[in-house]
Amino acid sequence: MPEMSLEDRARVFSALSDPTRLRLVEILASEEELCGTQIAHRAGISLALLSHHWKILSDTGVVKRERRGQKQFCRLDRDALESAFALVWPRSRIQTKL
Amino acid sequence: MPEMSLEDRARVFSALSDPTRLRLVEILASEEELCGTQIAHRAGISLALLSHHWKILSDTGVVKRERRGQKQFCRLDRDALESAFALVWPRSRIQTKL
DNA sequence: CAAATAGTTAAACAACTACTTGACTATATG
DNA sequence: CATATAGTCAAGTAGTTGTTTAACTATTTG
């Protein structure tokens, strides 16, 4: 993540601003990777609704997806989060450099 | 910040999800404290619009305000941010304990 | 009290968002 | 090819949000 505009940083926070999506992200924060069906099941939502939120999380760069066969595996992109958090939460950037 | 519900954490991110408000927060992240007129001037917005966004930032706990005479001084509440970020960005909590 | 500074509030509008349902596409397997 | 699994997409509805304008309140100072 070289540079993110104010709008792009706001879009990352917007991706985290819905309880359903925040739950998805928090689930992913505690796992290496999960496929769509697993995520939907853990979050207790339909696949259609996951697909809707998944697109938003992907478009904003909060998660990365990779197709393997029928399934798509998903993981957090911590660099994107860090870029968005940097100016609000400087400590995270400074301290992760340790 | 003892415990924050999923909804409350989402509300913090929602407070940061608008470019205008994110700018306000980033301005405050680089200063000890500022009064409303200073903030509005730096952000290039009207006082009426600041007041609208200021309420959202206060209600979600992202900033704390204190009246001194005519002016209200405002500063970030980093504990509230940390509580919201914790499950998404575990490193910030762990590392700030160092 | 009068005037200036600092901030609030309500109304109105346009734009956006989450969710459900049902039909659709893609990949793997028997 | 048929079936099952995995996920997408479009349409519709209901609710929310950001901004402007203009009038209003609160506090300080002359």
Side-chain angles (χ1 to χ4, degrees), chain B residues 55-76:
Chain B
K55 179 160 173 36
I56 293 167
L57 292 172
S58 297
D59 288 352
T60 53
V62 171
V63 304
K64 292 289 175 232
R65 300 154 81 174
E66 187 192 347
R67 169 149 235 142
R68 292 209 292 276
Q70 284 168 294
K71 300 181 182 179
Q72 287 179 62
F73 289 87
C74 183
R75 52 177 70 206
L76 270 193

mmCIF file with all atom_site columns, all heavy atoms in Angstrom, chain B residues 55-76:
data_model
loop_
_atom_site.group_PDB
_atom_site.id
_atom_site.type_symbol
_atom_site.label_atom_id
_atom_site.label_alt_id
_atom_site.label_comp_id
_atom_site.label_asym_id
_atom_site.label_entity_id
_atom_site.label_seq_id
_atom_site.pdbx_PDB_ins_code
_atom_site.Cartn_x
_atom_site.Cartn_y
_atom_site.Cartn_z
_atom_site.occupancy
_atom_site.B_iso_or_equiv
_atom_site.pdbx_formal_charge
_atom_site.auth_seq_id
_atom_site.auth_comp_id
_atom_site.auth_asym_id
_atom_site.auth_atom_id
_atom_site.pdbx_PDB_model_num
ATOM 1   N N   . LYS B 1 55 ? -20.942 16.071 16.868 1.00 0.00 ? 55 LYS B N   1
ATOM 2   C CA  . LYS B 1 55 ? -21.887 15.313 17.686 1.00 0.00 ? 55 LYS B CA  1
ATOM 3   C C   . LYS B 1 55 ? -21.700 13.805 17.466 1.00 0.00 ? 55 LYS B C   1
ATOM 4   O O   . LYS B 1 55 ? -21.701 13.020 18.418 1.00 0.00 ? 55 LYS B O   1
ATOM 5   C CB  . LYS B 1 55 ? -23.319 15.732 17.345 1.00 0.00 ? 55 LYS B CB  1
ATOM 6   C CG  . LYS B 1 55 ? -24.376 14.971 18.134 1.00 0.00 ? 55 LYS B CG  1
ATOM 7   C CD  . LYS B 1 55 ? -25.698 15.711 18.154 1.00 0.00 ? 55 LYS B CD  1
ATOM 8   C CE  . LYS B 1 55 ? -26.814 14.869 18.789 1.00 0.00 ? 55 LYS B CE  1
ATOM 9   N NZ  . LYS B 1 55 ? -26.363 14.021 19.905 1.00 0.00 ? 55 LYS B NZ  1
ATOM 10  N N   . ILE B 1 56 ? -21.525 13.425 16.222 1.00 0.00 ? 56 ILE B N   1
ATOM 11  C CA  . ILE B 1 56 ? -21.337 12.005 15.901 1.00 0.00 ? 56 ILE B CA  1
ATOM 12  C C   . ILE B 1 56 ? -20.049 11.492 16.534 1.00 0.00 ? 56 ILE B C   1
ATOM 13  O O   . ILE B 1 56 ? -20.013 10.419 17.137 1.00 0.00 ? 56 ILE B O   1
ATOM 14  C CB  . ILE B 1 56 ? -21.336 11.800 14.373 1.00 0.00 ? 56 ILE B CB  1
ATOM 15  C CG1 . ILE B 1 56 ? -22.731 12.105 13.820 1.00 0.00 ? 56 ILE B CG1 1
ATOM 16  C CG2 . ILE B 1 56 ? -20.895 10.389 14.008 1.00 0.00 ? 56 ILE B CG2 1
ATOM 17  C CD1 . ILE B 1 56 ? -22.804 12.242 12.322 1.00 0.00 ? 56 ILE B CD1 1
ATOM 18  N N   . LEU B 1 57 ? -18.990 12.287 16.421 1.00 0.00 ? 57 LEU B N   1
ATOM 19  C CA  . LEU B 1 57 ? -17.713 11.871 17.002 1.00 0.00 ? 57 LEU B CA  1
ATOM 20  C C   . LEU B 1 57 ? -17.794 11.784 18.525 1.00 0.00 ? 57 LEU B C   1
ATOM 21  O O   . LEU B 1 57 ? -17.187 10.898 19.135 1.00 0.00 ? 57 LEU B O   1
ATOM 22  C CB  . LEU B 1 57 ? -16.596 12.838 16.570 1.00 0.00 ? 57 LEU B CB  1
ATOM 23  C CG  . LEU B 1 57 ? -16.234 12.807 15.074 1.00 0.00 ? 57 LEU B CG  1
ATOM 24  C CD1 . LEU B 1 57 ? -15.264 13.922 14.730 1.00 0.00 ? 57 LEU B CD1 1
ATOM 25  C CD2 . LEU B 1 57 ? -15.668 11.452 14.677 1.00 0.00 ? 57 LEU B CD2 1
ATOM 26  N N   . SER B 1 58 ? -18.534 12.703 19.141 1.00 0.00 ? 58 SER B N   1
ATOM 27  C CA  . SER B 1 58 ? -18.704 12.654 20.601 1.00 0.00 ? 58 SER B CA  1
ATOM 28  C C   . SER B 1 58 ? -19.557 11.464 21.022 1.00 0.00 ? 58 SER B C   1
ATOM 29  O O   . SER B 1 58 ? -19.217 10.748 21.959 1.00 0.00 ? 58 SER B O   1
ATOM 30  C CB  . SER B 1 58 ? -19.386 13.927 21.103 1.00 0.00 ? 58 SER B CB  1
ATOM 31  O OG  . SER B 1 58 ? -18.587 15.052 20.841 1.00 0.00 ? 58 SER B OG  1
ATOM 32  N N   . ASP B 1 59 ? -20.679 11.288 20.333 1.00 0.00 ? 59 ASP B N   1
ATOM 33  C CA  . ASP B 1 59 ? -21.615 10.218 20.710 1.00 0.00 ? 59 ASP B CA  1
ATOM 34  C C   . ASP B 1 59 ? -20.965 8.839  20.617 1.00 0.00 ? 59 ASP B C   1
ATOM 35  O O   . ASP B 1 59 ? -21.288 7.944  21.400 1.00 0.00 ? 59 ASP B O   1
ATOM 36  C CB  . ASP B 1 59 ? -22.860 10.249 19.821 1.00 0.00 ? 59 ASP B CB  1
ATOM 37  C CG  . ASP B 1 59 ? -23.772 11.428 20.137 1.00 0.00 ? 59 ASP B CG  1
ATOM 38  O OD1 . ASP B 1 59 ? -23.515 12.118 21.141 1.00 0.00 ? 59 ASP B OD1 1
ATOM 39  O OD2 . ASP B 1 59 ? -24.720 11.663 19.375 1.00 0.00 ? 59 ASP B OD2 1
ATOM 40  N N   . THR B 1 60 ? -20.095 8.656  19.657 1.00 0.00 ? 60 THR B N   1
ATOM 41  C CA  . THR B 1 60 ? -19.432 7.365  19.498 1.00 0.00 ? 60 THR B CA  1
ATOM 42  C C   . THR B 1 60 ? -18.220 7.242  20.413 1.00 0.00 ? 60 THR B C   1
ATOM 43  O O   . THR B 1 60 ? -17.621 6.166  20.479 1.00 0.00 ? 60 THR B O   1
ATOM 44  C CB  . THR B 1 60 ? -18.964 7.165  18.050 1.00 0.00 ? 60 THR B CB  1
ATOM 45  O OG1 . THR B 1 60 ? -18.178 8.278  17.656 1.00 0.00 ? 60 THR B OG1 1
ATOM 46  C CG2 . THR B 1 60 ? -20.160 7.032  17.121 1.00 0.00 ? 60 THR B CG2 1
ATOM 47  N N   . GLY B 1 61 ? -17.848 8.321  21.077 1.00 0.00 ? 61 GLY B N   1
ATOM 48  C CA  . GLY B 1 61 ? -16.742 8.265  22.017 1.00 0.00 ? 61 GLY B CA  1
ATOM 49  C C   . GLY B 1 61 ? -15.383 8.465  21.397 1.00 0.00 ? 61 GLY B C   1
ATOM 50  O O   . GLY B 1 61 ? -14.366 8.314  22.077 1.00 0.00 ? 61 GLY B O   1
ATOM 51  N N   . VAL B 1 62 ? -15.344 8.813  20.122 1.00 0.00 ? 62 VAL B N   1
ATOM 52  C CA  . VAL B 1 62 ? -14.057 8.983  19.447 1.00 0.00 ? 62 VAL B CA  1
ATOM 53  C C   . VAL B 1 62 ? -13.327 10.225 19.953 1.00 0.00 ? 62 VAL B C   1
ATOM 54  O O   . VAL B 1 62 ? -12.099 10.241 20.012 1.00 0.00 ? 62 VAL B O   1
ATOM 55  C CB  . VAL B 1 62 ? -14.257 9.041  17.916 1.00 0.00 ? 62 VAL B CB  1
ATOM 56  C CG1 . VAL B 1 62 ? -12.976 9.430  17.205 1.00 0.00 ? 62 VAL B CG1 1
ATOM 57  C CG2 . VAL B 1 62 ? -14.772 7.697  17.402 1.00 0.00 ? 62 VAL B CG2 1
ATOM 58  N N   . VAL B 1 63 ? -14.089 11.249 20.335 1.00 0.00 ? 63 VAL B N   1
ATOM 59  C CA  . VAL B 1 63 ? -13.475 12.456 20.906 1.00 0.00 ? 63 VAL B CA  1
ATOM 60  C C   . VAL B 1 63 ? -14.154 12.824 22.226 1.00 0.00 ? 63 VAL B C   1
ATOM 61  O O   . VAL B 1 63 ? -15.290 12.429 22.478 1.00 0.00 ? 63 VAL B O   1
ATOM 62  C CB  . VAL B 1 63 ? -13.561 13.669 19.939 1.00 0.00 ? 63 VAL B CB  1
ATOM 63  C CG1 . VAL B 1 63 ? -12.942 13.344 18.590 1.00 0.00 ? 63 VAL B CG1 1
ATOM 64  C CG2 . VAL B 1 63 ? -14.991 14.154 19.787 1.00 0.00 ? 63 VAL B CG2 1
ATOM 65  N N   . LYS B 1 64 ? -13.400 13.548 23.026 1.00 0.00 ? 64 LYS B N   1
ATOM 66  C CA  . LYS B 1 64 ? -13.933 14.115 24.267 1.00 0.00 ? 64 LYS B CA  1
ATOM 67  C C   . LYS B 1 64 ? -13.901 15.633 24.143 1.00 0.00 ? 64 LYS B C   1
ATOM 68  O O   . LYS B 1 64 ? -12.945 16.196 23.598 1.00 0.00 ? 64 LYS B O   1
ATOM 69  C CB  . LYS B 1 64 ? -13.070 13.690 25.460 1.00 0.00 ? 64 LYS B CB  1
ATOM 70  C CG  . LYS B 1 64 ? -13.142 12.209 25.788 1.00 0.00 ? 64 LYS B CG  1
ATOM 71  C CD  . LYS B 1 64 ? -14.481 11.803 26.384 1.00 0.00 ? 64 LYS B CD  1
ATOM 72  C CE  . LYS B 1 64 ? -14.600 10.309 26.610 1.00 0.00 ? 64 LYS B CE  1
ATOM 73  N NZ  . LYS B 1 64 ? -15.843 9.740  26.012 1.00 0.00 ? 64 LYS B NZ  1
ATOM 74  N N   . ARG B 1 65 ? -14.941 16.303 24.679 1.00 0.00 ? 65 ARG B N   1
ATOM 75  C CA  . ARG B 1 65 ? -15.022 17.753 24.608 1.00 0.00 ? 65 ARG B CA  1
ATOM 76  C C   . ARG B 1 65 ? -15.126 18.330 26.003 1.00 0.00 ? 65 ARG B C   1
ATOM 77  O O   . ARG B 1 65 ? -15.671 17.714 26.913 1.00 0.00 ? 65 ARG B O   1
ATOM 78  C CB  . ARG B 1 65 ? -16.254 18.164 23.813 1.00 0.00 ? 65 ARG B CB  1
ATOM 79  C CG  . ARG B 1 65 ? -16.217 17.641 22.430 1.00 0.00 ? 65 ARG B CG  1
ATOM 80  C CD  . ARG B 1 65 ? -17.627 17.501 21.889 1.00 0.00 ? 65 ARG B CD  1
ATOM 81  N NE  . ARG B 1 65 ? -18.113 18.777 21.417 1.00 0.00 ? 65 ARG B NE  1
ATOM 82  C CZ  . ARG B 1 65 ? -19.274 18.914 20.788 1.00 0.00 ? 65 ARG B CZ  1
ATOM 83  N NH1 . ARG B 1 65 ? -20.064 17.871 20.605 1.00 0.00 ? 65 ARG B NH1 1
ATOM 84  N NH2 . ARG B 1 65 ? -19.652 20.084 20.362 1.00 0.00 ? 65 ARG B NH2 1
ATOM 85  N N   . GLU B 1 66 ? -14.633 19.564 26.092 1.00 0.00 ? 66 GLU B N   1
ATOM 86  C CA  . GLU B 1 66 ? -14.644 20.228 27.391 1.00 0.00 ? 66 GLU B CA  1
ATOM 87  C C   . GLU B 1 66 ? -14.873 21.713 27.143 1.00 0.00 ? 66 GLU B C   1
ATOM 88  O O   . GLU B 1 66 ? -14.148 22.327 26.364 1.00 0.00 ? 66 GLU B O   1
ATOM 89  C CB  . GLU B 1 66 ? -13.273 20.001 28.055 1.00 0.00 ? 66 GLU B CB  1
ATOM 90  C CG  . GLU B 1 66 ? -13.172 20.467 29.467 1.00 0.00 ? 66 GLU B CG  1
ATOM 91  C CD  . GLU B 1 66 ? -11.708 20.478 29.934 1.00 0.00 ? 66 GLU B CD  1
ATOM 92  O OE1 . GLU B 1 66 ? -10.858 19.891 29.222 1.00 0.00 ? 66 GLU B OE1 1
ATOM 93  O OE2 . GLU B 1 66 ? -11.430 21.100 30.967 1.00 0.00 ? 66 GLU B OE2 1
ATOM 94  N N   . ARG B 1 67 ? -15.881 22.248 27.775 1.00 0.00 ? 67 ARG B N   1
ATOM 95  C CA  . ARG B 1 67 ? -16.180 23.672 27.609 1.00 0.00 ? 67 ARG B CA  1
ATOM 96  C C   . ARG B 1 67 ? -15.263 24.476 28.521 1.00 0.00 ? 67 ARG B C   1
ATOM 97  O O   . ARG B 1 67 ? -15.130 24.171 29.713 1.00 0.00 ? 67 ARG B O   1
ATOM 98  C CB  . ARG B 1 67 ? -17.653 23.910 27.939 1.00 0.00 ? 67 ARG B CB  1
ATOM 99  C CG  . ARG B 1 67 ? -18.023 25.346 28.066 1.00 0.00 ? 67 ARG B CG  1
ATOM 100 C CD  . ARG B 1 67 ? -19.486 25.591 27.647 1.00 0.00 ? 67 ARG B CD  1
ATOM 101 N NE  . ARG B 1 67 ? -19.555 26.593 26.622 1.00 0.00 ? 67 ARG B NE  1
ATOM 102 C CZ  . ARG B 1 67 ? -20.380 26.592 25.592 1.00 0.00 ? 67 ARG B CZ  1
ATOM 103 N NH1 . ARG B 1 67 ? -21.235 25.623 25.426 1.00 0.00 ? 67 ARG B NH1 1
ATOM 104 N NH2 . ARG B 1 67 ? -20.369 27.584 24.729 1.00 0.00 ? 67 ARG B NH2 1
ATOM 105 N N   . ARG B 1 68 ? -14.651 25.527 27.961 1.00 0.00 ? 68 ARG B N   1
ATOM 106 C CA  . ARG B 1 68 ? -13.880 26.482 28.765 1.00 0.00 ? 68 ARG B CA  1
ATOM 107 C C   . ARG B 1 68 ? -14.241 27.862 28.245 1.00 0.00 ? 68 ARG B C   1
ATOM 108 O O   . ARG B 1 68 ? -13.734 28.269 27.194 1.00 0.00 ? 68 ARG B O   1
ATOM 109 C CB  . ARG B 1 68 ? -12.377 26.211 28.632 1.00 0.00 ? 68 ARG B CB  1
ATOM 110 C CG  . ARG B 1 68 ? -11.950 24.889 29.284 1.00 0.00 ? 68 ARG B CG  1
ATOM 111 C CD  . ARG B 1 68 ? -10.519 24.888 29.804 1.00 0.00 ? 68 ARG B CD  1
ATOM 112 N NE  . ARG B 1 68 ? -9.483  24.943 28.781 1.00 0.00 ? 68 ARG B NE  1
ATOM 113 C CZ  . ARG B 1 68 ? -9.016  23.895 28.120 1.00 0.00 ? 68 ARG B CZ  1
ATOM 114 N NH1 . ARG B 1 68 ? -9.506  22.678 28.355 1.00 0.00 ? 68 ARG B NH1 1
ATOM 115 N NH2 . ARG B 1 68 ? -8.075  24.027 27.220 1.00 0.00 ? 68 ARG B NH2 1
ATOM 116 N N   . GLY B 1 69 ? -15.157 28.534 28.952 1.00 0.00 ? 69 GLY B N   1
ATOM 117 C CA  . GLY B 1 69 ? -15.627 29.838 28.497 1.00 0.00 ? 69 GLY B CA  1
ATOM 118 C C   . GLY B 1 69 ? -16.521 29.670 27.285 1.00 0.00 ? 69 GLY B C   1
ATOM 119 O O   . GLY B 1 69 ? -17.383 28.792 27.263 1.00 0.00 ? 69 GLY B O   1
ATOM 120 N N   . GLN B 1 70 ? -16.280 30.484 26.267 1.00 0.00 ? 70 GLN B N   1
ATOM 121 C CA  . GLN B 1 70 ? -17.089 30.394 25.055 1.00 0.00 ? 70 GLN B CA  1
ATOM 122 C C   . GLN B 1 70 ? -16.737 29.169 24.232 1.00 0.00 ? 70 GLN B C   1
ATOM 123 O O   . GLN B 1 70 ? -17.523 28.700 23.435 1.00 0.00 ? 70 GLN B O   1
ATOM 124 C CB  . GLN B 1 70 ? -16.816 31.606 24.151 1.00 0.00 ? 70 GLN B CB  1
ATOM 125 C CG  . GLN B 1 70 ? -17.457 32.897 24.570 1.00 0.00 ? 70 GLN B CG  1
ATOM 126 C CD  . GLN B 1 70 ? -16.872 34.039 23.769 1.00 0.00 ? 70 GLN B CD  1
ATOM 127 O OE1 . GLN B 1 70 ? -15.679 34.341 23.923 1.00 0.00 ? 70 GLN B OE1 1
ATOM 128 N NE2 . GLN B 1 70 ? -17.666 34.661 22.925 1.00 0.00 ? 70 GLN B NE2 1
ATOM 129 N N   . LYS B 1 71 ? -15.502 28.738 24.398 1.00 0.00 ? 71 LYS B N   1
ATOM 130 C CA  . LYS B 1 71 ? -14.976 27.713 23.490 1.00 0.00 ? 71 LYS B CA  1
ATOM 131 C C   . LYS B 1 71 ? -15.152 26.305 24.047 1.00 0.00 ? 71 LYS B C   1
ATOM 132 O O   . LYS B 1 71 ? -15.248 26.105 25.252 1.00 0.00 ? 71 LYS B O   1
ATOM 133 C CB  . LYS B 1 71 ? -13.491 27.977 23.248 1.00 0.00 ? 71 LYS B CB  1
ATOM 134 C CG  . LYS B 1 71 ? -13.226 29.321 22.632 1.00 0.00 ? 71 LYS B CG  1
ATOM 135 C CD  . LYS B 1 71 ? -11.743 29.515 22.388 1.00 0.00 ? 71 LYS B CD  1
ATOM 136 C CE  . LYS B 1 71 ? -11.482 30.905 21.798 1.00 0.00 ? 71 LYS B CE  1
ATOM 137 N NZ  . LYS B 1 71 ? -10.038 31.127 21.575 1.00 0.00 ? 71 LYS B NZ  1
ATOM 138 N N   . GLN B 1 72 ? -15.159 25.359 23.135 1.00 0.00 ? 72 GLN B N   1
ATOM 139 C CA  . GLN B 1 72 ? -15.116 23.960 23.532 1.00 0.00 ? 72 GLN B CA  1
ATOM 140 C C   . GLN B 1 72 ? -13.836 23.371 22.985 1.00 0.00 ? 72 GLN B C   1
ATOM 141 O O   . GLN B 1 72 ? -13.572 23.446 21.787 1.00 0.00 ? 72 GLN B O   1
ATOM 142 C CB  . GLN B 1 72 ? -16.303 23.203 22.966 1.00 0.00 ? 72 GLN B CB  1
ATOM 143 C CG  . GLN B 1 72 ? -17.587 23.552 23.663 1.00 0.00 ? 72 GLN B CG  1
ATOM 144 C CD  . GLN B 1 72 ? -18.745 22.803 23.078 1.00 0.00 ? 72 GLN B CD  1
ATOM 145 O OE1 . GLN B 1 72 ? -18.774 21.590 23.113 1.00 0.00 ? 72 GLN B OE1 1
ATOM 146 N NE2 . GLN B 1 72 ? -19.688 23.528 22.524 1.00 0.00 ? 72 GLN B NE2 1
ATOM 147 N N   . PHE B 1 73 ? -13.073 22.752 23.852 1.00 0.00 ? 73 PHE B N   1
ATOM 148 C CA  . PHE B 1 73 ? -11.845 22.124 23.400 1.00 0.00 ? 73 PHE B CA  1
ATOM 149 C C   . PHE B 1 73 ? -12.079 20.634 23.217 1.00 0.00 ? 73 PHE B C   1
ATOM 150 O O   . PHE B 1 73 ? -12.880 20.036 23.928 1.00 0.00 ? 73 PHE B O   1
ATOM 151 C CB  . PHE B 1 73 ? -10.706 22.418 24.372 1.00 0.00 ? 73 PHE B CB  1
ATOM 152 C CG  . PHE B 1 73 ? -10.274 23.853 24.307 1.00 0.00 ? 73 PHE B CG  1
ATOM 153 C CD1 . PHE B 1 73 ? -10.910 24.822 25.090 1.00 0.00 ? 73 PHE B CD1 1
ATOM 154 C CD2 . PHE B 1 73 ? -9.279  24.236 23.427 1.00 0.00 ? 73 PHE B CD2 1
ATOM 155 C CE1 . PHE B 1 73 ? -10.532 26.152 25.009 1.00 0.00 ? 73 PHE B CE1 1
ATOM 156 C CE2 . PHE B 1 73 ? -8.898  25.567 23.338 1.00 0.00 ? 73 PHE B CE2 1
ATOM 157 C CZ  . PHE B 1 73 ? -9.528  26.522 24.132 1.00 0.00 ? 73 PHE B CZ  1
ATOM 158 N N   . CYS B 1 74 ? -11.375 20.089 22.270 1.00 0.00 ? 74 CYS B N   1
ATOM 159 C CA  . CYS B 1 74 ? -11.658 18.733 21.818 1.00 0.00 ? 74 CYS B CA  1
ATOM 160 C C   . CYS B 1 74 ? -10.355 17.968 21.675 1.00 0.00 ? 74 CYS B C   1
ATOM 161 O O   . CYS B 1 74 ? -9.357  18.522 21.223 1.00 0.00 ? 74 CYS B O   1
ATOM 162 C CB  . CYS B 1 74 ? -12.355 18.840 20.463 1.00 0.00 ? 74 CYS B CB  1
ATOM 163 S SG  . CYS B 1 74 ? -12.862 17.273 19.761 1.00 0.00 ? 74 CYS B SG  1
ATOM 164 N N   . ARG B 1 75 ? -10.383 16.710 22.105 1.00 0.00 ? 75 ARG B N   1
ATOM 165 C CA  . ARG B 1 75 ? -9.224  15.849 21.874 1.00 0.00 ? 75 ARG B CA  1
ATOM 166 C C   . ARG B 1 75 ? -9.672  14.417 21.583 1.00 0.00 ? 75 ARG B C   1
ATOM 167 O O   . ARG B 1 75 ? -10.772 14.024 21.941 1.00 0.00 ? 75 ARG B O   1
ATOM 168 C CB  . ARG B 1 75 ? -8.271  15.880 23.061 1.00 0.00 ? 75 ARG B CB  1
ATOM 169 C CG  . ARG B 1 75 ? -8.914  15.604 24.410 1.00 0.00 ? 75 ARG B CG  1
ATOM 170 C CD  . ARG B 1 75 ? -7.866  15.593 25.514 1.00 0.00 ? 75 ARG B CD  1
ATOM 171 N NE  . ARG B 1 75 ? -7.308  16.905 25.800 1.00 0.00 ? 75 ARG B NE  1
ATOM 172 C CZ  . ARG B 1 75 ? -6.085  17.101 26.325 1.00 0.00 ? 75 ARG B CZ  1
ATOM 173 N NH1 . ARG B 1 75 ? -5.312  16.047 26.609 1.00 0.00 ? 75 ARG B NH1 1
ATOM 174 N NH2 . ARG B 1 75 ? -5.661  18.311 26.580 1.00 0.00 ? 75 ARG B NH2 1
ATOM 175 N N   . LEU B 1 76 ? -8.818  13.668 20.919 1.00 0.00 ? 76 LEU B N   1
ATOM 176 C CA  . LEU B 1 76 ? -9.104  12.268 20.629 1.00 0.00 ? 76 LEU B CA  1
ATOM 177 C C   . LEU B 1 76 ? -9.185  11.471 21.916 1.00 0.00 ? 76 LEU B C   1
ATOM 178 O O   . LEU B 1 76 ? -8.445  11.733 22.849 1.00 0.00 ? 76 LEU B O   1
ATOM 179 C CB  . LEU B 1 76 ? -7.980  11.653 19.789 1.00 0.00 ? 76 LEU B CB  1
ATOM 180 C CG  . LEU B 1 76 ? -8.052  11.717 18.284 1.00 0.00 ? 76 LEU B CG  1
ATOM 181 C CD1 . LEU B 1 76 ? -7.012  10.773 17.700 1.00 0.00 ? 76 LEU B CD1 1
ATOM 182 C CD2 . LEU B 1 76 ? -9.427  11.354 17.768 1.00 0.00 ? 76 LEU B CD2 1
#
